[in-house]
Amino acid sequence: QVQLVESGGGLVQAGGSLRLSCTASSGSIFSINDMGWYRQAPGKQRELVATITSGGTRNLADSVKDRFTISRDNAKKTVYLQMNSLKPEDSAVYYCKCKARATYDSTPRDYWGQGTQVTVSS
């Protein structure tokens, strides 16, 4: 019942920037804990890109920590990923994930977005 809606992906040249957004859309959300971004390129496993806790603690993969920034707006139930100095190896489908508790559920669970394509050209 909790849905994550992503936006902001697209085509960009190397060195450019993109800003991804992910909003939890539901009238049945009791609380949201950790939120994060993952990515998966063809033929590769899904990997963690960045996470942010409800208290604002950030964790980023070594490959992106100097170029990406993760943030969240709790009032809007939205997590962002600002991607700067993009490289071709950043090309992948990016998935939003949040750990949330629904009003009808006593257990926090993981919810995933549908994925948004990011393609970086040389």
Side-chain angles (χ1 to χ4, degrees), residues 2-107:
V2 176
Q3 296 182 353
L4 303 182
V5 181
E6 303 178 15
S7 64
L11 302 174
V12 65
Q13 295 183 356
S17 299
L18 287 173
R19 181 179 174 87
L20 305 183
S21 299
C22 173
T23 298
S25 179
S26 175
S28 302
I29 297 177
F30 180 80
S31 63
I32 300 176
N33 303 113
D34 295 354
M35 306 183 78
W37 292 92
Y38 297 74
R39 67 186 182 187
Q40 187 168 24
K44 298 183 179 180
Q45 295 184 350
R46 185 173 300 185
E47 64 175 345
L48 184 147
V49 177
T51 60
I52 183 169
T53 69
S54 60
T57 300
R58 296 167 169 82
N59 183 43
L60 292 92
D62 289 340
S63 60
V64 306
K65 63 181 180 181
D66 295 328
R67 301 179 293 119
F68 292 8
T69 301
I70 187 171
S71 61
R72 63 189 288 170
D73 186 328
N74 291 331
K76 296 181 179 179
K77 302 177 183 177
T78 299
V79 61
Y80 306 93
L81 185 67
Q82 178 66 48
M83 305 184 294
N84 299 323
S85 302
L86 283 163
K87 305 175 181 179
E89 51 263 44
D90 294 319
S91 297
V93 177
Y94 283 70
Y95 297 91
C96 172
K97 189 187 82 171
C98 76
K99 182 178 292 292
R101 177 187 169 185
T103 57
Y104 53 84
D105 196 347
S106 62
T107 302

